[in-house]
Amino acid sequence: MHPLLLSALIQIESNGNDHARGRHGELGALQIKPILVRDVNRIMGTHYTHAQVTNRTVSIFIAQSYLAHYGRNLSDESLARIWQGGPKALRKPSTRAYGRRVMRELERQRTVKDSMTVQFTENHHFTAR
């Protein structure tokens, strides 16, 4: 999983709002549903409540656990599709557009990160001793 994938998902899902509420019971920056929390609790042996997903650290742990369990050795686009459509998302044509949307956001974030790295390197000259 690309390190910026969760950041891209957060941007797409809630524009970074940790207290976002969806129409179907989704909460937090990653718009997590109660069933997903129960699934991760079963998989990981944890005891998170749905209300805790407004905490960014908890929501990221839940997302990483979920995607690691259901998305071993898959591309970032496939992981995004699973995030939106569940474990069987790759069989659902309806998740393709979401996967492409997340990939565009991921590419945007990579470009921003790369340009920031170049600017930092250009502005800070280091000398070897």
Side-chain angles (χ1 to χ4, degrees):
M1 178 174 11
H2 190 282
L4 291 175
L5 178 60
L6 288 174
S7 180
L9 289 170
I10 287 168
Q11 186 62 34
I12 296 297
E13 290 291 343
S14 69
N15 202 26
N17 181 354
D18 287 319
H19 300 286
R21 294 181 170 274
R23 288 179 271 184
H24 304 287
E26 308 92 345
L27 284 180
L30 284 158
Q31 291 294 275
I32 297 173
K33 292 182 180 179
I35 193 168
L36 195 143
V37 176
R38 288 192 301 272
D39 199 17
V40 168
N41 282 335
R42 177 187 57 78
I43 293 164
M44 302 299 293
T46 52
H47 302 285
Y48 290 108
T49 65
H50 186 235
Q52 288 177 288
V53 301
T54 58
N55 177 301
R56 179 77 57 104
T57 303
V58 171
S59 67
I60 287 174
F61 172 81
I62 287 172
Q64 287 175 325
S65 300
Y66 183 82
L67 293 174
H69 182 78
Y70 290 112
R72 288 194 184 109
N73 302 317
L74 293 179
S75 69
D76 289 335
E77 186 170 352
S78 293
L79 291 171
R81 289 177 66 188
I82 288 170
W83 185 251
Q84 187 208 27
K88 297 179 182 176
L90 301 181
R91 298 183 199 152
K92 299 176 184 177
S94 61
T95 64
R96 286 187 188 130
Y98 180 84
R100 288 190 300 267
R101 185 173 170 208
V102 171
M103 292 310 294
R104 284 191 301 272
E105 176 60 25
L106 181 58
E107 186 57 35
R108 186 193 71 75
Q109 289 191 16
R110 284 178 180 157
T111 302
V112 168
K113 182 181 175 213
D114 290 346
S115 70
M116 289 174 68
T117 301
V118 168
Q119 288 175 3
F120 178 81
T121 306
E122 289 173 352
N123 293 332
H124 293 82
H125 302 285
F126 299 98
T127 55
R129 290 184 182 210

